[in-house]
Amino acid sequence: MKLLLGDIILTTSQEKELSELDALYGEACGYFKFDSARPLIHPRSCMRGGDLPPGGKPENYELLSIYVGGVMVGYAALYRDFPGKQSVQIPLLFISEKARRCGFGTTIVRALKQYFYETGYHNLRVLVSLRNWGALRFWYRHGFDRVLCVETEGELTDGGNGSIGLECSLDKN
């Protein structure tokens, strides 16, 4: 996959990008440290098969590098046809701190919605930590307004972890 979005390029990650992806992975691990229930998968592992759901097929998984002005500023993961034929799961979208709040995430999500709508998919899904208020607002603002599930480990008030599955219908693009 390669999407050109003005100054933003979203493209399938390559082995030659591993040093840049490693740096972003380190930053992402620091950012997501509050969510110990869902540790991040290293980009190298993602390229060798991905973070697959139970019964998942490696050919449905894709790691994407995000460039702005020729500089890698983030990465994303996609899993097609999960849980059904016309669904796409986005297990991860990470934008570096230096590139946040510039509209890049919005541009990327809009482009992914358009791309998958045009290729016959009906919905996109995400799983968001209940402790990540910024991400919850971001996904809700972009049409991920159907709650699919809520999963918790212990009481959230006592340091427990939890996540919420959200879906965006592509029919109302």
Side-chain angles (χ1 to χ4, degrees):
M1 170 188 284
K2 186 168 188 174
L3 297 177
L4 305 174
L5 317 165
D7 203 25
I8 303 170
I9 298 173
L10 192 63
T11 186
T12 302
S13 299
Q14 306 293 319
E15 290 276 337
K16 64 183 179 182
E17 298 171 313
L18 274 173
S19 63
E20 291 171 286
L21 288 165
D22 280 345
L24 287 166
Y25 170 76
E27 184 182 343
C29 285
Y31 179 80
F32 291 115
K33 69 182 175 221
F34 60 85
D35 192 3
S36 60
R38 293 183 356 166
L40 294 179
I41 306 299
H42 192 278
R44 183 180 313 278
S45 297
C46 291
M47 287 184 183
R48 295 192 176 136
D51 183 13
L52 303 179
K57 300 175 184 175
E59 61 268 19
N60 290 354
Y61 183 87
E62 188 170 11
L63 185 68
L64 302 170
S65 300
I66 301 167
Y67 288 89
V68 175
V71 176
M72 188 184 296
V73 298
Y75 65 105
L78 302 173
Y79 191 84
R80 291 173 176 83
D81 300 327
F82 178 78
K85 276 287 187 201
Q86 283 132 357
S87 296
V88 177
Q89 179 84 22
I90 304 173
L92 176 69
L93 172 61
F94 179 76
I95 305 288
S96 176
E97 178 67 35
K98 65 184 177 204
R100 282 190 209 128
R101 294 171 194 69
C102 298
F104 303 137
T106 294
T107 300
I108 291 164
V109 171
R110 285 180 181 159
L112 288 172
K113 287 168 67 175
Q114 186 66 35
Y115 174 82
F116 285 113
Y117 175 77
E118 290 173 355
T119 54
Y121 286 89
H122 293 269
N123 57 64
L124 296 178
R125 295 171 169 223
V126 294
L127 190 64
V128 183
S129 171
L130 291 170
R131 295 191 176 277
N132 193 343
W133 289 102
L136 288 167
R137 279 190 309 273
F138 173 84
W139 291 111
Y140 182 79
R141 196 172 63 238
H142 290 89
F144 290 76
D145 54 8
R146 180 168 176 240
V147 176
L148 300 171
C149 65
V150 177
E151 302 168 355
T152 62
E153 288 183 11
E155 295 293 323
L156 292 177
T157 57
D158 296 330
N161 292 300
S163 56
I164 185 168
L166 300 172
E167 181 179 79
C168 172
S169 173
L170 299 179
D171 299 332
K172 56 182 175 180
N173 240 347

